Amino acid sequence: MSEIDPRSPDSAKPPRRGLRWYWRIPLKLVLFAVATHFVLFPDPIRYARHLRHMSNFDRMIEPDAPELAAWDDELAELRRHIKDRVKIQRDAGKPVRPAAAMQREVERFVYDKVKYEWDWNLWGSADYMPTVAEIFEKARENNGILREDCDGRAVIAASVMRRLGYQSRMVADLKHIWVVTPEGEWMGPGASKVVVATSQGTKVNVRNAIAEAPASLAYGIAVFPLARELMIAAVAWLLLLHRGMPRWGKAVGALLLVQGLLFMRVEKSQPDPLTGDVSNWPAWMGLAHLVTGLALLFWLSARARRQAWMQTR
């Protein structure tokens, strides 16, 4: 076999390195984002509708929705019950707050009428804010039983309050949506407001969103289906692999990612027996495992890529 003449044109060609890092890394990030999006929101049309609904909370409150007319007799009875209670309190010389009493009754009414269910079981998405009509339409597919999570319940509760003639609006943090009236916050108010409905439209408090992000991420992982989370972890693992990586590195990286998810899934652990506080150390431990696993895979992949390039020089 003849040797290649160093003076030939072929000998002057530099070794192939594939995509440069400034193309490869952004491309992989885009692929990861797209894959994650379709795991969380597999229906793009429903996702677009969800974004439109979330863009204006106030528009989601529909006191005149035809579907609510089926409850008018019960709501009239509720109004008479509150009126009688207020009269008794006044006759007894006790403080009277009719709006607060109505608020408590509507809260119980909605909790009784709308059973709790996660959005991924109802709508197949990580999150979806439905209209009143969609909630009732979904119930017809489920033996007439109304089911929703916090956003659907808040839509119904705020709509019922306005139908009864009371002010109401919706607010949210990164985990929960609840209702606010002049009498206060109800339907399980969160610690801080991130999204607030105003007469000028929905406003977002970016500072509160940043402060809540770590805890909200841990909560989301804790309650989201593990199978979908493993899909996202598998995509991240595959995108970080390189054929020259050692087997132990691939295995340890995968183990750290899975352990991180499992730790974060026990974020809602049992309260401390002495203080009653819920410990959040599993969330931080899980986050540390995830970051360590991703960093290890990235480092081993970069090293393997560099070694492969050096061997071709």
Side-chain angles (χ1 to χ4, degrees):
M1 181 180 296
S2 61
E3 297 182 356
I4 297 176
D5 187 347
R7 294 171 296 179
S8 67
D10 290 339
S11 65
K13 291 182 179 180
R16 296 183 61 185
R17 296 189 60 180
L19 286 176
R20 298 281 184 172
W21 68 267
Y22 46 78
W23 288 109
R24 185 177 63 254
I25 293 177
L27 178 60
K28 288 190 174 185
L29 288 174
V30 169
L31 290 174
F32 178 74
V34 170
T36 300
H37 172 81
F38 279 102
V39 170
L40 299 178
F41 303 98
D43 187 336
I45 296 176
R46 179 167 289 151
Y47 179 65
R49 202 156 55 231
H50 171 64
L51 293 180
R52 186 169 66 251
H53 293 171
M54 291 291 291
S55 67
N56 194 328
F57 278 7
D58 202 59
R59 192 167 52 200
M60 298 299 295
I61 302 175
E62 304 175 272
D64 300 322
E67 292 78 9
L68 298 180
W71 293 344
D72 279 349
D73 290 343
E74 293 177 81
L75 294 178
E77 180 62 29
L78 191 63
R79 194 191 298 272
R80 286 192 292 270
H81 173 70
I82 295 298
K83 185 177 180 180
D84 293 343
R85 183 191 298 180
V86 167
K87 184 178 183 303
I88 293 173
Q89 288 179 325
R90 282 177 175 164
D91 292 344
K94 295 180 180 179
V96 178
R97 296 176 61 193
M102 180 60 77
Q103 178 174 295
R104 288 192 295 271
E105 291 298 325
V106 168
E107 184 175 41
R108 282 195 287 266
F109 179 84
V110 173
Y111 283 158
D112 181 64
K113 290 288 186 182
V114 186
K115 307 306 179 184
Y116 195 92
E117 185 59 274
W118 299 108
D119 278 342
W120 44 86
N121 293 330
L122 277 174
W123 306 101
S125 297
D127 193 21
Y128 182 67
M129 174 179 275
T131 63
V132 173
E134 287 176 318
I135 295 172
F136 278 80
E137 177 63 30
K138 182 61 71 172
R140 285 190 283 272
E141 301 173 8
N142 294 300
N143 301 319
I145 301 174
L146 293 169
R147 298 184 184 277
E148 257 303 320
D149 66 356
C150 61
D151 51 12
R153 281 176 152 188
V155 166
I156 292 290
S159 298
V160 167
M161 283 297 286
R162 287 196 188 180
R163 191 176 185 88
L164 290 168
Y166 296 91
Q167 298 180 42
S168 64
R169 59 190 177 92
M170 295 189 294
V171 298
D173 57 20
L174 296 181
K175 298 182 292 186
H176 182 55
I177 296 179
W178 63 97
V179 180
V180 173
T181 69
E183 294 296 326
E185 303 180 16
W186 50 297
M187 303 294 286
S192 63
K193 300 180 182 67
V194 174
V195 184
V196 181
T198 69
S199 57
Q200 291 78 37
T202 301
K203 306 295 184 182
V204 178
N205 188 315
V206 177
R207 178 178 297 179
N208 286 350
I210 294 173
E212 283 200 0
S216 298
L217 175 63
Y219 176 81
I221 292 176
V223 300
F224 196 62
L226 179 60
R228 293 202 191 189
E229 293 171 354
L230 291 175
M231 290 180 193
I232 296 173
V235 171
W237 183 74
L238 289 171
L239 288 173
L240 287 171
L241 289 186
H242 185 275
R243 61 180 178 275
M245 289 172 61
R247 291 183 179 179
W248 70 263
K250 299 175 183 178
V252 171
L255 180 63
L256 287 170
L257 294 183
V258 174
Q259 281 185 328
L261 290 176
L262 295 178
F263 268 116
M264 297 188 86
R265 289 184 68 82
V266 297
E267 179 263 346
K268 298 170 66 177
S269 55
Q270 293 296 320
D272 183 275
L274 297 178
T275 65
D277 295 331
V278 176
S279 172
N280 63 358
W281 71 262
W284 290 108
M285 181 67 72
L287 187 60
H289 276 71
L290 289 174
V291 171
T292 303
L294 292 172
L296 175 66
L297 289 168
F298 182 84
W299 176 69
L300 290 175
S301 178
R303 189 182 70 169
R305 193 177 301 277
R306 186 167 53 251
Q307 289 175 345
W309 179 76
M310 292 294 294
Q311 290 172 2
T312 61
R313 296 190 65 179

